[in-house]
Amino acid sequence: MNKRILIIEDEEKIARVLSLELNHEGYQAESAFTGKTGLERAEGEEWDLILLDVMLPELNGIEVLRRYRKKNSSTPVILLTARDAVPDKVNGLDHGANDYVTKPFEIEELLARIRACFRIHTGKSQSDDKEDFLMVHDLRLELGTRDIIRQGKRIELTSREFDLLVYLMQNKNQVLSRDQILSHVWGYDFVGDTNVVDVYIRYLRKKIDYPYNLQLIHTYRGVGYSLKEPV
Ligand code: CA
């Protein structure tokens, strides 16, 4: 079965070119031209991935994403953002986008990010059969249901925070460099600031560490981070 990709983009020319390129790559691409119809189609059908333009009439892309994520937290979403729209990117990631591509983009770059999204997600579902949870001390992560529980309390994470936590837990007690984390969690040769790792580690700490008396994530100055089983 070909993977189904929904393109939500009001510029019909861009949507048409994207759809041609994606079909050519063997995906089954379909388009919606407003935020409203995009959200309806996103929610009404099964998709393997959604490409979502941020600047949309009626309902902008961030709003579409916010509403979509209330019901669906697993289908990857890649945002198409304007070049210097840093708030859009941060906002989008906070609302559960898996990645973003800055317009104008090279189709090759977009294809690489799409493949990276699929790699990460396939990796997850394969692990369902082998072991369905990860555990470090009193922190438990269910790979199937994506539930995270510490000391009996359920913790809500965005999809990127979840991916980061999975990677840290799979490599517990090892020190991971920012570059390692970037390439595994962001899934491609990330061009730009490795600060994004520090930012996400901070988000994660706020949720899984700060409310508890024992901290599991450790900083190795100038090196990276480690999620450690207490000795
Ligand atoms: Ca647009």
Side-chain angles (χ1 to χ4, degrees):
M1 233 342 235
N2 289 352
K3 286 195 159 52
R4 299 190 74 222
I5 299 181
L6 176 63
I7 304 163
I8 308 177
E9 163 67 87
D10 60 310
E11 287 158 86
E12 297 197 14
K13 204 173 136 198
I14 295 181
R16 201 162 52 238
V17 171
L18 274 178
S19 155
L20 280 173
E21 292 280 358
L22 292 174
N23 287 332
H24 180 73
E25 289 296 311
Y27 300 115
Q28 188 191 330
E30 299 194 28
S31 309
F33 304 112
T34 69
K36 196 163 165 287
T37 54
L39 181 62
E40 281 165 9
R41 291 208 64 185
E43 289 181 335
E45 298 167 49
E46 289 283 323
W47 301 97
D48 295 294
L49 185 133
I50 295 173
L51 291 179
L52 176 59
D53 186 32
V54 172
M55 296 285 285
L56 290 170
E58 297 169 34
L59 206 57
N60 73 46
I62 302 290
E63 190 53 29
V64 171
L65 176 65
R66 201 181 64 78
R67 296 190 194 183
Y68 182 63
R69 278 288 181 246
K70 282 187 183 171
K71 292 179 189 157
N72 181 319
S73 59
S74 59
T75 302
V77 174
I78 298 180
L79 292 180
L80 309 176
T81 69
R83 182 140 40 108
D84 295 317
V86 176
D88 280 351
K89 293 169 191 167
V90 174
N91 221 342
L93 295 172
D94 281 349
H95 283 102
N98 297 68
D99 204 348
Y100 59 81
V101 173
T102 305
K103 284 175 162 182
F105 51 83
E106 297 291 332
I107 190 72
E108 286 307 324
E109 184 194 3
L110 179 64
L111 292 173
R113 306 237 179 153
I114 290 173
R115 285 193 298 270
C117 267
F118 286 143
R119 261 202 311 279
I120 291 174
H121 281 255
T122 317
K124 248 178 241 151
S125 54
Q126 278 169 353
S127 55
D128 285 356
D129 309 333
K130 282 180 264 145
E131 55 176 61
D132 46 12
F133 70 93
L134 297 167
M135 189 100 189
V136 175
H137 190 53
D138 54 2
L139 176 68
R140 181 183 172 99
L141 182 149
E142 300 281 346
L143 288 160
T145 59
R146 298 170 74 87
D147 283 334
I148 297 136
I149 293 153
R150 188 163 181 194
Q151 291 178 11
K153 273 171 61 187
R154 192 178 300 265
I155 301 168
E156 296 286 335
L157 296 183
T158 65
S159 65
R160 182 73 81 191
E161 290 164 357
F162 181 89
D163 292 343
L164 175 59
L165 183 58
V166 168
Y167 183 59
L168 291 174
M169 289 182 87
Q170 282 170 337
N171 296 282
K172 67 177 178 183
N173 303 326
Q174 294 178 42
V175 181
L176 302 165
S177 71
R178 287 179 183 75
D179 286 340
Q180 276 177 308
I181 295 172
L182 267 180
S183 63
H184 281 87
V185 177
W186 275 255
Y188 52 90
D189 296 326
F190 188 86
V191 190
D193 211 333
T194 58
N195 278 343
V196 70
V197 173
D198 304 317
V199 171
Y200 271 83
I201 290 282
R202 203 156 59 234
Y203 290 162
L204 205 51
R205 277 182 158 147
K206 262 192 213 159
K207 295 178 178 176
I208 68 151
D209 261 351
Y210 294 163
Y212 306 91
N213 52 19
L214 186 78
Q215 310 296 291
L216 302 174
I217 298 176
H218 299 262
T219 304
Y220 290 80
R221 220 159 274 291
V223 185
Y225 298 97
S226 179
L227 184 79
K228 294 181 79 169
E229 192 85 57
V231 272

